[in-house]
Amino acid sequence: QVQLVESGGGLVQPGGSLRLSCAASGTIRSINTMGWYRQAPGKQRELVASITSDGSTKYSDSVKGRFAISRDNAKNTVYLQMNSLKPEDTAVYYCNLYFPWVGYEYWGQGTQVTVSS
């Protein structure tokens, strides 16, 4: 079994920064993709950023240049550094771990990010 535990959400003013962390535990296959998704009220869940086990990254257009995803493979942890936050970044952020060779994926419980003055 795999567990994902997120931390780092909260309330921040526009223009501020937050750093999300997600630690995976359990049986972690070495080839995987870790990512962050978000879901705002009334909207579908969307990909924010992802990073493969060999370091390839992908970002949604809405966060390019403001967010940075990174990972520590030794700790099975993925990070999302969020800068220049905007009110439209307000959402529940979910960590995702995907094993491409077997098609399994796991989700964290979600952490709330609120950008408001």
Side-chain angles (χ1 to χ4, degrees):
Q1 277 291 0
V2 173
Q3 269 197 322
L4 302 176
V5 178
E6 300 136 334
S7 60
L11 172 64
V12 64
Q13 291 188 342
S17 298
L18 280 176
R19 189 191 193 210
L20 305 183
S21 300
C22 172
S25 61
T27 303
I28 310 298
R29 296 175 182 267
S30 59
I31 297 176
N32 60 71
T33 298
M34 298 189 80
W36 291 94
Y37 289 71
R38 67 186 181 188
Q39 188 166 20
K43 294 189 176 181
Q44 288 190 333
R45 191 174 296 190
E46 62 174 359
L47 173 70
V48 177
S50 65
I51 183 168
T52 63
S53 44
D54 63 1
S56 297
T57 59
K58 182 187 298 184
Y59 294 92
S60 71
D61 288 343
S62 61
V63 306
K64 277 181 185 175
R66 300 188 298 122
F67 291 11
I69 191 169
S70 60
R71 62 187 290 164
D72 184 334
N73 288 336
K75 296 181 180 179
N76 290 319
T77 299
V78 64
Y79 307 96
L80 185 68
Q81 178 66 43
M82 304 186 293
N83 300 324
S84 303
L85 282 160
K86 304 176 181 180
E88 50 264 44
D89 294 318
T90 296
V92 178
Y93 283 69
Y94 296 91
C95 179
N96 175 272
L97 172 60
Y98 176 62
F99 299 134
W101 283 16
V102 294
Y104 292 167
E105 66 177 350
Y106 300 89
W107 293 92
Q109 80 283 0
T111 184
Q112 177 71 47
V113 171
T114 302
V115 184
S116 175
S117 54

